[in-house]
Amino acid sequence: MLVPIFTLKLNHKINPRMVTVGKYDGIHPCLTAATQAGKVFIHNPHTRNQRISAHRLVQSSQDSDVSLLNINQNVTCLTAGVLDPQLGYDSLVLGTQTNLLAYDVHNNSDLFYKEIADGANAVVLGNLGDIASPIALIGGNCALQGFDCRGNDIFWTVTGDNVRSLALCDFDSDGKKELLVGSEDFDIRVFKEDEIVAEMTETETVTAMCPMYTSRFGYALSNGTVGVYDRTSRYWRIKSKNLAMSIHAFDLNSDGVCELITGWSNGKIDARSDRTGEVIFKDNFSSAVAGVVEGDYRMDGKTQLICCSIDGEVRGYLPSSQESAGSLMDTSVEQELVRELSQKKQNLLLELKNYQENSKQAETRVQISESDGHMGVIPANTQLQTALSVSLGSDTQAAHVELSITTSNDTIIRAVLIFAEGIFEGESHVVHPSAQHLTGRIRVPISPPKDVPVDLHIKAFVGYKSSVQFHVFELTRQLPRFSMYVLSNPASSPEPSSYVNFTTNERAQRVVLWLNQNFLLPEDTEIQSAPFQISFTSLRDGGPLLISMKPSGELSIRTDDMDLAGDIIQSLAAFLAIEDLSVEADFPKYFEQLRNVLVQVDESHSVHQKMTADMAEQSNLIRSMLVQAEDARLMRDMKNMKKRYAELYDLNKDLINRYKIRCNNHTELLNNLKCVNQAIQRAGRLRTGKHKVQVITSCRDAIRSNNINALFRIMRVGATPS
């Protein structure tokens, strides 16, 4: 249980997910948050009325405990922690769409100020892997960067999409921290320094993550889902109609294990068991929760849980001792428990009534002949069978995978509920035929948007047409990873110009086994041992896919879809347990598009530099013009004053127009940089292990040196180890 111990009302609006606590003098914890006005406030109630210089930090006139840090840009992320161990206190790290600032609050000075081309959407501070010094890790436009206390860029890699959340966690329990990356492509990726060691696919954008206990971590999605993973295994998850604004791990019942604290968009705070997701504490704010942090804010040696709302309300909670936890349960929790027990009672009474009704119907059925109808009891040998097949669609329906559910006798299926992550809207799908169309078979069209294996959890109501009560069958069927590809005739479609080639020592039978497990092949399909060639057509875009193997062990994957080639390589390498795989690849159409994007990036950089110089020149001209206008006003030279102010108006208007052009240019640059980063990521996914890391690192070096020919050579044949 948590006991509320203090409440503050700060006169500042707080941006969601931008709250932290830092000890900027090494002793006193200060609540720090970004405001909606492009400022950061630092609340320090421990040293009142201190003199603060005017470099960046200024005292707020509204509250003597609050100091304001003027950023003059929208803050996109912030955190506090030890960046320079020699200082002995925390630093504040702030990110915007274009810059990163590491700030020494105690001395009111910058540690470093860096321009970040890929922007900063998320930031975390700490030690990563074998990197000795703490680093500030920034997640931006499909890229990850790490800076030390002097602003040196000591870490860089790419990820699949725009980064939305970061966390450091000892994922593999080796005593060293790994980097958890949540992105807009619904994936959670785990980086052991610059190598991906695990990937988990979720159903929406991953907006927040927090380390909990050893390899366990919590996560939140943009659709209101929160849950807990232990490595790649998900313990539990719940979904709410409200959005999870902030999550934090905190031991509220003093049992040595952290619970997951969630702050919601409706102002609710709840704490859930790390193993079951059961709510064990809750409270409410009058507005949405902006952040949940912890710190010894009262300086009494006890760590408090600190929750902030977007309206500036701050509450501190203290965990109760195990002895007093039972007596401190508040009335709302007791009422919730009574409500839950009452609901269970109603469910059990309803279930008992159903059993009684079923027993009566069984007795009635014994008395009437078989021809009179069926009252509800189905034969004991009734089975529910499922089958997956590929449907090429029709004029009214697109091509899809078809799930067929049938009974083994003359019973009918009254309704089917299918639960599957990432396929159906709301993650579930119900088929409820009308009374006139009841049969023993139901067909359900399925169109997975991504090539990931999915478990279909099926519940079916089975009985007779005259049944009042139905039996529920539950079963699970896995949808293969590449189910959206149909077997085709190689001669019926042109051979793709793009390919990936590599050699393996594995037997052809192992590759055939992988094909059978990951594709929906017809039962009569026979694949001989090497050499063999098998052709597929995508149900999404009609693109061809050819997989062939020679007796020498050389495998060839031909497709114009680089993402598909990478997915196949990763799946095949995992199945065959290939740790380090180097390939030769060529995607001429995609590489030509990338070459054009790189030209646009150079042009955008040139335009950006020219416009920045022009705007600086115009700003100086405006300053001079303003002085001349004011001089004319003081000298009562109204004619020249009006002339200067008219010129000033025109210059300012031109400056605003140039700024809009510069913003559009920056947006275009970000989109092009995203394409470049994704291209590097795709080139890396064609390899595994050390070869993947070498390709990503070498690609970045080639871009830094503007060696475009070397970039494409690396993407084609890999990188030469340094």
Side-chain angles (χ1 to χ4, degrees):
M1 276 296 301
L2 291 174
V3 183
I5 53 172
F6 68 80
T7 300
L8 303 171
K9 186 64 178 177
L10 304 177
N11 296 315
H12 296 277
K13 299 283 187 180
I14 301 176
N15 284 347
R17 302 188 180 95
M18 295 186 204
V19 182
T20 187
V21 169
K23 294 182 179 179
Y24 303 121
D25 60 358
I27 302 171
H28 304 100
C30 302
L31 184 68
T32 308
T35 71
Q36 299 173 1
K39 297 180 180 180
V40 173
F41 76 75
I42 299 172
H43 181 252
N44 183 4
H46 310 291
T47 53
R48 299 179 183 273
N49 301 321
Q50 57 184 345
R51 279 186 68 86
I52 300 178
S53 60
H55 171 60
R56 278 186 183 271
L57 206 60
V58 296
Q59 202 78 24
S60 171
S61 59
Q62 296 175 318
D63 192 337
S64 61
D65 293 342
V66 174
S67 303
L68 293 177
L69 182 64
N70 291 311
I71 306 300
N72 298 322
Q73 293 186 65
N74 287 330
V75 178
T76 54
C77 56
L78 63 76
T79 191
V82 176
L83 184 58
D84 186 354
Q86 294 182 352
L87 292 177
Y89 49 78
D90 292 347
S91 303
L92 178 62
V93 180
L94 305 165
T96 69
Q97 284 297 340
T98 55
N99 300 99
L100 177 69
L101 168 66
Y103 188 64
D104 183 346
V105 176
H106 183 60
N107 293 313
N108 200 14
S109 62
D110 295 351
L111 290 175
F112 65 81
Y113 185 76
K114 303 286 290 188
E115 185 171 341
I116 309 294
D118 294 307
N121 300 329
V123 61
V124 67
L125 202 158
N127 292 90
L128 175 63
D130 291 319
I131 300 175
S133 61
I135 56 176
L137 291 155
I138 307 298
N141 202 12
C142 303
L144 300 165
Q145 287 180 269
F147 298 90
D148 65 11
C149 60
R150 293 175 180 81
N152 298 318
D153 186 356
I154 61 175
F155 175 83
W156 186 90
T157 189
V158 289
T159 187
D161 207 336
N162 291 334
V163 178
R164 286 299 164 204
S165 55
L166 295 173
L168 288 168
C169 173
D170 187 5
F171 182 80
D172 54 7
S173 303
D174 64 347
K176 300 172 184 176
K177 296 289 182 68
E178 282 74 43
L179 179 64
L180 308 178
V181 181
S183 52
E184 290 181 354
D185 61 357
F186 308 170
D187 282 351
I188 299 173
R189 296 179 177 88
V190 183
F191 285 82
K192 195 173 185 65
E193 292 188 22
D194 51 5
E195 179 184 356
I196 295 179
V197 294
E199 291 183 73
M200 292 80 79
T201 299
E202 275 299 329
T203 57
E204 259 296 344
T205 299
V206 185
T207 56
M209 291 184 294
C210 67
M212 296 190 69
Y213 175 73
T214 60
S215 59
R216 208 171 301 161
F217 65 93
Y219 73 97
L221 307 181
S222 60
N223 63 358
T225 298
V226 295
V228 168
Y229 272 95
D230 190 352
R231 299 193 183 183
T232 57
S233 300
R234 188 169 58 207
Y235 267 19
W236 58 267
R237 68 168 185 156
I238 61 101
K239 188 174 180 181
S240 170
K241 63 181 179 181
N242 302 301
L243 301 182
M245 308 299 285
S246 179
I247 59 173
H248 187 75
F250 189 77
D251 182 10
L252 62 84
N253 52 10
S254 305
D255 63 351
V257 178
C258 289
E259 283 71 41
L260 183 66
I261 316 296
T262 308
W264 299 90
S265 59
N266 65 344
K268 185 175 71 171
I269 292 280
D270 63 35
R272 296 177 181 271
S273 164
D274 68 312
R275 287 191 170 273
T276 64
E278 178 187 0
V279 176
I280 54 180
F281 172 81
K282 64 180 181 179
D283 198 0
N284 286 283
F285 282 78
S286 58
S287 60
V289 176
V292 181
V293 292
E294 67 175 70
D296 183 7
Y297 217 57
R298 297 198 307 175
M299 299 290 293
D300 59 0
K302 297 177 181 179
T303 301
Q304 297 100 42
L305 181 74
I306 304 170
C307 303
C308 311
S309 75
I310 61 173
D311 286 340
E313 184 181 359
V314 180
R315 294 182 195 170
Y317 300 89
L318 199 62
S320 63
S321 62
Q322 286 182 312
E323 293 78 13
S324 60
S327 60
L328 289 172
M329 180 178 289
D330 59 23
T331 308
S332 63
V333 175
E334 288 182 345
Q335 291 175 346
E336 181 71 19
L337 187 59
V338 170
R339 192 193 66 78
E340 289 179 3
L341 290 174
S342 298
Q343 186 65 48
K344 287 181 180 179
K345 177 184 176 182
Q346 291 296 325
N347 292 339
L348 289 171
L349 288 172
L350 185 61
E351 189 173 349
L352 178 61
K353 183 180 178 182
N354 286 338
Y355 278 122
Q356 292 171 344
E357 289 291 331
N358 201 41
S359 177
K360 290 179 182 178
Q361 290 176 0
E363 293 174 2
T364 306
R365 188 184 172 207
V366 171
Q367 298 172 2
I368 62 176
S369 64
E370 195 72 30
S371 60
D372 288 335
H374 304 279
M375 299 301 294
V377 179
I378 63 174
N381 62 352
T382 303
Q383 294 181 342
L384 197 66
Q385 299 162 343
T386 62
L388 289 167
S389 60
V390 177
S391 172
L392 298 179
S394 61
D395 294 338
T396 58
Q397 193 173 32
H400 58 269
V401 176
E402 188 172 86
L403 171 65
S404 176
I405 306 170
T406 58
T407 61
S408 58
N409 48 37
D410 61 344
T411 54
I412 57 97
I413 302 175
R414 189 67 186 88
V416 170
L417 169 65
I418 304 173
F419 175 84
E421 294 183 38
I423 294 182
F424 305 114
E425 186 177 352
E427 301 183 18
S428 61
H429 182 68
V430 177
V431 181
H432 197 284
S434 62
Q436 295 78 22
H437 298 90
L438 293 176
T439 64
R441 170 175 292 183
I442 285 181
R443 293 183 175 91
V444 183
I446 298 174
S447 298
K450 297 172 69 175
D451 292 328
V452 292
V454 178
D455 286 332
L456 303 172
H457 302 280
I458 304 166
K459 293 183 179 181
F461 289 6
V462 178
Y464 290 102
K465 286 188 176 181
S466 59
S467 296
V468 178
Q469 294 179 321
F470 294 88
H471 292 256
V472 179
F473 284 78
E474 296 186 31
L475 57 125
T476 300
R477 179 73 185 258
Q478 188 177 66
L479 191 66
R481 180 168 188 171
F482 302 104
S483 57
M484 289 292 284
Y485 299 87
V486 60
L487 192 66
S488 61
N489 186 350
S492 63
S493 57
E495 188 172 295
S497 58
S498 306
Y499 65 85
V500 179
N501 294 335
F502 63 95
T503 302
T504 177
N505 296 324
E506 288 287 346
R507 295 176 292 111
Q509 288 83 351
R510 292 268 292 158
V511 178
V512 172
L513 184 60
W514 170 81
L515 282 167
N516 280 295
Q517 287 187 8
N518 288 273
F519 290 83
L520 281 177
L521 299 176
E523 293 182 1
D524 57 351
T525 304
E526 291 186 9
I527 305 175
Q528 305 298 327
S529 58
F532 69 79
Q533 177 172 298
I534 187 167
S535 177
F536 298 93
T537 301
S538 171
L539 298 182
R540 296 188 182 99
D541 57 12
L545 166 66
L546 275 72
I547 301 174
S548 60
M549 187 174 186
K550 297 179 179 178
S552 60
E554 182 181 341
L555 267 162
S556 178
I557 300 165
R558 304 192 73 92
T559 175
D560 290 323
D561 187 341
M562 200 170 179
D563 285 320
L564 172 59
D567 288 341
I568 290 175
I569 292 291
Q570 296 299 315
S571 174
L572 191 55
F575 183 82
L576 300 178
I578 303 174
E579 292 185 2
D580 298 311
L581 178 64
S582 178
V583 307
E584 180 185 345
D586 191 19
F587 291 81
K589 294 179 183 177
Y590 181 74
F591 288 165
E592 186 60 32
Q593 293 173 5
L594 180 59
R595 194 180 292 274
N596 294 333
V597 168
L598 289 168
V599 171
Q600 293 175 18
V601 168
D602 284 340
E603 292 175 352
S604 295
H605 277 304
S606 299
V607 171
H608 176 78
Q609 291 173 355
K610 184 177 183 302
M611 294 199 72
T612 301
D614 290 346
M615 289 176 70
E617 184 179 340
Q618 279 194 311
S619 297
N620 291 330
L621 193 57
I622 285 175
R623 192 179 297 114
S624 173
M625 198 77 68
L626 184 61
V627 171
Q628 292 177 28
E630 284 299 295
D631 285 346
R633 184 181 67 82
L634 292 172
M635 295 174 65
R636 300 186 181 280
D637 185 356
M638 296 303 159
K639 181 179 179 181
N640 275 329
M641 184 193 76
K642 289 180 180 179
K643 182 180 178 182
R644 296 293 177 235
Y645 271 118
E647 292 173 349
L648 192 65
Y649 175 80
D650 292 336
L651 275 173
N652 185 58
K653 192 174 180 180
D654 186 44
L655 195 64
I656 292 172
N657 291 333
R658 285 177 180 270
Y659 177 75
K660 290 178 180 177
I661 295 172
R662 187 169 179 257
C663 287
N664 293 334
N665 179 71
H666 179 70
T667 302
E668 185 180 348
L669 175 62
L670 280 180
N671 292 333
N672 289 330
L673 286 175
K674 179 178 179 178
C675 292
V676 174
N677 290 336
Q678 285 181 329
I680 297 174
Q681 163 80 355
R682 286 166 176 153
R685 280 184 62 80
L686 297 177
R687 288 93 181 169
T688 62
K690 61 182 182 182
H691 300 288
K692 178 178 182 178
V693 175
Q694 289 168 0
V695 162
I696 292 174
T697 304
S698 300
C699 282
R700 192 201 186 195
D701 292 339
I703 290 176
R704 273 180 162 176
S705 59
N706 203 26
N707 192 340
I708 304 304
N709 291 328
L711 173 68
F712 289 111
R713 180 185 59 78
I714 293 164
M715 288 184 168
R716 287 188 177 99
V717 300
T720 304
S722 56

